[in-house]
Amino acid sequence: MTDHNDSSVLFGNGDELPSNSSDNPHINELIGQLSRRQVLTGTAAMGGLAFLGMALPQTALASGGTQTTQHLPKPRARLPFGAVPVGRPDEIVVPPGYRASPFIPWGTPITGRYPAFADDASNSARDQAEQTGMHHDGMHFFPIDGHRGGGRRSDHGLLVLNHEYIDAPLLHPNGPSVTDGKRTSAEEVRKEINAHGVSVVEVRRDVRGEWEVVPSPRNRRITAATPMRISGPARGHALLKTRYSPKGTATRGTQNNCANGFTPWGTYLTCEENWAGYFATRDSNLPRELARYGLGSTSRFGWDTLPGDEFERFDATRKGPSAIADYRNEPNHFGWIVEIDPFDPESVPVKRTALGRFAHEGLIFAPVKPGRPLVCYSGDDAQNEYLYKYVSRDRYWPGFSDGRLLDKGTLYVARFKADGSGEWLALDIDNRKFRQACKVAGVRFADQGEVLINTRLAADVVGATKMDRPEWGAVHPDSGDVYFTLTNNTARTVADAANPRVANAYGHIIRWREQSRDHAGTRFRWDIFLLAGPQSDSLDPKGRPLGADSILASPDGLWFDPDGRLWVQTDMSGSQLSSGPFGNNQMLVADPRSGEVKRFLVGPLGAEVTGITATPDFRTLFVNIQHPGEGSTASNLLSTWPDGPGRRPRSATVIITREDGRRIL
C-alpha cells in the first residue's frame, strides 16, 4: 500500500479515512500484555519459536555455560550473500554477484497497435490502454504450461501485475487540467482510468538468457473501465443495483490494486485496496456501507466532476428515488477480490463477494490437500482494521476445482488474545453466535449479502481485534505458519511499560499457527516474529535488536521462497524515508530457522519496493519498484530511474539474477 502525500492527489490525500469507531480491543494492548512476559525481556521471539516447534538458537539452549557446539558441524548458510548497506542512491543496489535489470516500465507497449512510450507523456488514453499501467505492485509469474496450476516452465510464462494508482503530474505532459477544483479534460481522465488495473504480459527468456516481451494474443490490459461480473452471496443484491447494472450482477473496472494472490487452479487474484477515495458523495447522511468505508465529499482524482456516465459513476450522491436512477451503490462494487484467468484473454473478470468487502491488501492460500476445504487469508489495510480468513464450503480437487470454491464458504475475522491464543469469529448470518452478537449490538443484517457488503461492520459487531494496518501475508511452505506485516500505526499516543514506543511508527510482523492441520479450524496460537525499527528500538526473530544489516521500518510486502526464507519489502514515507536511519526503501531476507535477517536490495529515491515472484527454478526473481521519485512533476524530477538523466521516473519490474546463472539463494 502507498501511504504517502503525493502530488497527484488533487482533492485530499490518497489514504483511506479512518472509520473504525468500535470499542474492540487493539492489538497493541495485547502485545503490551505479551511484552510484560516476553518482549521487554528479549525472549518473545525465542518463546514463539519454541511454541511453533522450531529449533531455538544454541545460545538459548545453553545453561550455565555448560552447553557447547564446538563439535557440531557448521550448517550451510541460509543467507549466503553480502548484506547491502543502508543508502539513498537513485538506482537499484543488490549484493555482489547479482544483476538487477529494469523490465516493462510504465508505458511499455504490450497489445494491439503497440504504441511506443512517449518521453513527454503525450501518449493518448487509447495508447495507455495498450501499455503497461502506472505504479506496479503485486504480481505473479505463471509458467506457460500452468493453465490449470502446477506449471514448471521457467523460461516462458505470463507475468501478471497490478497497477495501484497514478501520479497525474507525470502521467500527462503538464499535469492534469483542473479549473475551480474540477477536471476539464475527459481524455486525461480516460488515460488515468486506463493506467489503473492489471497487465497480463507474456514473457520469455531468449537465447542469450535475457527476458523479453512476447507479442501474444494473451497480452491484455484490465483497467478501471473493464466490464466484470459479480458472483457469490452479494450477487444481485439491492445494494449493488445501479444505473449501469439494474440487476446488481455486473460492474465496470478494478482500481487501487495493491497486493495479489493466485489460485491452485492457475488464475490470478487482484485485490482492491484503498478504493473509497475514488468516489465522492454530497449526501449528508451516509448509509453504513459508505460511512464505515470512509467516503467523503470530494474524491482523490476528481473523476466524478466530469459529465457523462463513464465519469458520473464515481459520484455516489443520491439523484433519484431509486438506486437504478443514479450511482449511490457504485462504491459497493469495489473493495472485493477479482479473479482473472490470465490464459484466456476473452474471459470476463469476476468479483468474488464471499471473500468480503474491505481494503484488501492481498490474498494468500494455505496449503491444501485433495478432498479438504480451501483456506485463504486477507488483511484490511487501514489503521485499526482486521485480519480475515475464508474457508470454502466445498472440497478442493486438483484438475476439477475452479473459482466457484470462492463463492460458497465462511468468512471469519481474527480475535487475538493476550495469552498467545486466538480464535476465528464467523461472519455468517446462519451462525448462532454471530446472530447473538448482532442482537447485543443492535445491528441488523437482512441477509448474507448485506453482511459481506458491510464486512467491516460485521467484524466490529463480533469483537475482532484492531490491527496496525494489516498488509501482505505469506504462508511458510513447510510448517504452514501464517505471517502478516502490520506496517505501522501512529495513532497511539500514550506509552507505558508494555508499549515502550509512543506510537507504532515502525511496524512489526505477526505470525500464527492454526491448531487444525488443514487450517480450517477456529483456533490458533500467535506470537510476534519481528519488531521493526532502528537498532535502539527493535527486536529481531532471536529477540535481539536489529543490526546495521537488518534495520527496517514499515514492513509491507511478504513472500516465502521455495526453501522457506521470508522476503520482506518496506514502504516508508515522509521523514522516515528522507532523513531517518533506514535510507531508501528496501527488501530483506529473514530465515525463520536461525532468526538471521539481512538486507538484499535497496531501491531508488522515493520508491516503494513491492511485489515479488520467481520462476519455478528460482533462477529469476521479479521485484516491482513503485513510484520512484514520488512527488515529481515534469519540471521537478526527484528521481530519473530507470531511464536516466532528464527522463521521467517510471515504475518498473526489476529482473534479478545471479551472474553465475545459479539459483538466487
Side-chain angles (χ1 to χ4, degrees):
M1 175 219 180
T2 295
D3 179 32
H4 311 150
N5 293 319
D6 67 84
S7 59
S8 71
V9 175
L10 303 179
F11 304 96
N13 65 34
D15 301 344
E16 181 175 296
L17 298 175
S19 60
N20 191 348
S21 59
S22 73
D23 294 327
N24 291 351
H26 197 286
I27 189 64
N28 285 323
E29 301 170 32
L30 306 182
I31 292 173
Q33 296 177 54
L34 186 64
S35 296
R36 272 187 284 274
R37 300 188 307 276
Q38 296 178 311
V39 172
L40 295 182
T41 62
T43 61
M46 290 187 288
L49 287 169
F51 100 72
L52 289 174
M54 300 178 185
L56 287 170
Q58 292 296 328
T59 53
L61 297 175
S63 176
T66 60
Q67 181 76 27
T68 178
T69 61
Q70 62 182 354
H71 300 300
L72 296 177
K74 186 177 181 180
R76 182 177 68 87
R78 295 261 296 165
L79 306 183
F81 60 89
V84 173
V86 165
R88 291 187 172 85
D90 194 24
E91 60 182 347
I92 301 291
V93 182
V94 291
Y98 290 86
R99 183 176 67 162
S101 306
F103 188 57
I104 57 171
W106 157 51
T108 299
I110 62 171
T111 71
R113 296 179 298 116
Y114 297 96
F117 175 74
D119 288 338
D120 64 353
S122 60
N123 288 105
S124 67
R126 182 180 177 184
D127 289 347
Q128 181 61 79
E130 299 180 0
Q131 300 169 327
T132 51
M134 208 174 202
H135 292 348
H136 302 25
D137 210 303
M139 66 177 163
H140 186 68
F141 177 83
F142 292 89
I144 204 68
D145 57 340
H147 182 52
R148 295 298 297 173
R152 301 306 302 167
R153 286 283 297 272
S154 291
D155 60 348
H156 189 187
L158 303 179
L159 195 61
V160 188
L161 60 152
N162 292 342
H163 303 288
E164 185 179 0
Y165 73 108
I166 57 102
D167 272 310
L170 292 176
L171 187 67
H172 308 298
N174 299 300
S177 302
V178 182
T179 300
D180 296 330
K182 295 183 178 181
R183 303 299 298 270
T184 59
S185 170
E187 170 70 8
E188 288 180 356
V189 171
R190 289 190 187 104
K191 185 177 181 181
E192 293 172 18
I193 288 172
N194 290 339
H196 282 74
V198 175
S199 292
V200 180
V201 188
E202 187 167 340
V203 297
R204 179 173 55 205
R205 198 180 313 168
D206 64 20
V207 293
R208 298 168 299 162
E210 303 293 331
W211 286 91
E212 61 182 1
V213 174
V214 178
S216 167
R218 294 188 181 97
N219 291 350
R220 180 184 187 188
R221 281 301 321 285
I222 294 159
T223 74
T226 300
M228 302 185 176
R229 65 182 180 90
I230 300 170
S231 73
R235 175 179 169 84
H237 199 279
L239 293 176
L240 294 182
K241 294 180 179 179
T242 67
R243 188 194 309 164
Y244 175 77
S245 180
K247 294 183 179 180
T249 58
T251 189
R252 286 174 287 182
T254 184
Q255 57 208 24
N256 211 255
N257 305 90
C258 198
N260 65 297
F262 57 96
T263 67
W265 50 89
T267 59
Y268 184 76
L269 300 170
T270 188
C271 305
E272 298 174 340
E273 193 201 36
N274 287 337
W275 48 270
Y278 288 75
F279 299 91
T281 175
R282 292 181 297 280
D283 293 336
S284 56
N285 296 313
L286 297 184
R288 60 194 186 186
E289 61 270 10
L290 301 188
R292 184 61 181 82
Y293 292 87
L295 264 73
S297 59
T298 55
S299 64
R300 185 176 184 183
F301 297 117
W303 296 348
D304 57 295
T305 62
L306 281 170
D309 184 76
E310 61 184 310
F311 310 120
E312 290 174 6
R313 68 186 177 107
F314 297 102
D315 181 356
T317 306
R318 290 174 178 260
K319 298 178 180 178
S322 68
I324 61 174
D326 51 41
Y327 284 105
R328 70 188 69 176
N329 289 333
E330 184 74 4
N332 299 338
H333 287 208
F334 293 85
W336 305 106
I337 301 289
V338 184
E339 184 178 17
I340 298 167
D341 185 347
F343 292 92
D344 181 3
E346 302 301 320
S347 62
V348 177
V350 183
K351 298 204 174 188
R352 301 287 182 188
T353 63
L355 299 172
R357 173 176 170 261
F358 45 90
H360 284 277
E361 177 70 21
L363 192 74
I364 56 166
F365 287 82
V368 59
K369 294 182 178 180
R372 304 304 302 168
L374 193 71
V375 178
C376 49
Y377 302 89
S378 189
D380 187 351
D381 184 7
Q383 288 185 353
N384 304 320
E385 294 300 344
Y386 307 123
L387 280 163
Y388 296 87
K389 177 171 84 168
Y390 171 83
V391 180
S392 68
R393 184 196 68 180
D394 298 328
R395 308 303 174 105
Y396 168 74
W397 296 103
F400 297 95
S401 294
D402 58 27
R404 288 173 293 184
L405 276 181
L406 302 177
D407 281 341
K408 294 180 180 179
T410 302
L411 185 67
Y412 297 88
V413 68
R415 177 187 289 160
F416 293 82
K417 299 181 180 180
D419 63 359
S421 67
E423 63 179 319
W424 293 105
L425 310 169
L427 306 181
D428 182 357
I429 202 165
D430 293 326
N431 180 277
R432 180 182 57 82
K433 291 183 178 180
F434 178 73
R435 293 198 306 269
Q436 180 62 27
C438 290
K439 182 177 180 180
V440 171
V443 174
R444 182 181 180 277
F445 298 104
D447 49 41
Q448 185 63 15
E450 190 173 5
V451 170
L452 295 166
I453 291 169
N454 288 279
T455 299
R456 283 182 172 175
L457 177 59
D460 295 342
V461 166
V462 298
T465 304
K466 296 178 181 178
M467 309 297 284
D468 286 353
R469 282 185 52 208
E471 298 231 23
W472 292 55
V475 178
H476 194 288
D478 299 321
S479 69
D481 299 329
V482 186
Y483 293 66
F484 261 84
T485 50
L486 302 174
T487 294
N488 54 50
N489 186 351
T490 56
R492 179 159 48 88
T493 59
V494 179
D496 55 34
N499 300 282
R501 294 184 282 201
V502 172
N504 186 10
Y506 304 120
H508 53 283
I509 299 175
I510 197 168
R511 66 176 168 183
W512 63 85
R513 172 168 288 180
E514 298 280 359
Q515 290 191 358
S516 57
R517 286 192 172 185
D518 64 1
H519 288 67
T522 60
R523 304 289 177 183
F524 60 91
R525 300 287 301 177
W526 68 276
D527 77 341
I528 302 299
F529 177 69
L530 179 150
L531 291 177
Q535 290 178 276
S536 60
D537 189 7
S538 61
L539 288 174
D540 73 5
K542 291 184 179 180
R544 307 174 307 186
L546 294 168
D549 291 345
S550 57
I551 59 169
L552 73 150
S554 299
D556 190 340
L558 277 187
W559 178 73
F560 270 110
D561 68 28
D563 295 322
R565 287 171 291 244
L566 184 65
W567 296 68
V568 183
Q569 300 170 318
T570 71
D571 182 16
M572 298 178 288
S573 60
S575 60
Q576 196 176 80
L577 184 62
S578 62
S579 60
F582 309 103
N584 290 349
N585 277 305
Q586 56 191 267
M587 182 170 69
L588 307 95
V589 190
D591 181 11
R593 291 187 191 175
S594 66
E596 186 180 14
V597 183
K598 292 171 73 173
R599 189 176 302 103
F600 182 87
L601 177 150
V602 170
L605 289 169
E608 173 186 349
V609 181
T610 181
I612 179 171
T613 188
T615 52
D617 63 7
F618 199 35
R619 295 176 187 270
T620 300
L621 193 66
F622 300 95
V623 175
N624 277 334
I625 301 298
Q626 187 185 109
H627 60 68
E630 185 183 37
S632 293
T633 64
S635 60
N636 182 29
L637 301 179
L638 304 180
S639 168
T640 58
W641 187 89
D643 295 328
R647 310 284 289 277
R648 295 179 187 232
R650 296 199 280 167
S651 295
T653 300
V654 172
I655 294 174
I656 299 174
T657 55
R658 284 180 59 135
E659 292 176 351
D660 60 12
R662 296 163 58 190
R663 284 166 56 92
I664 295 297
L665 290 179

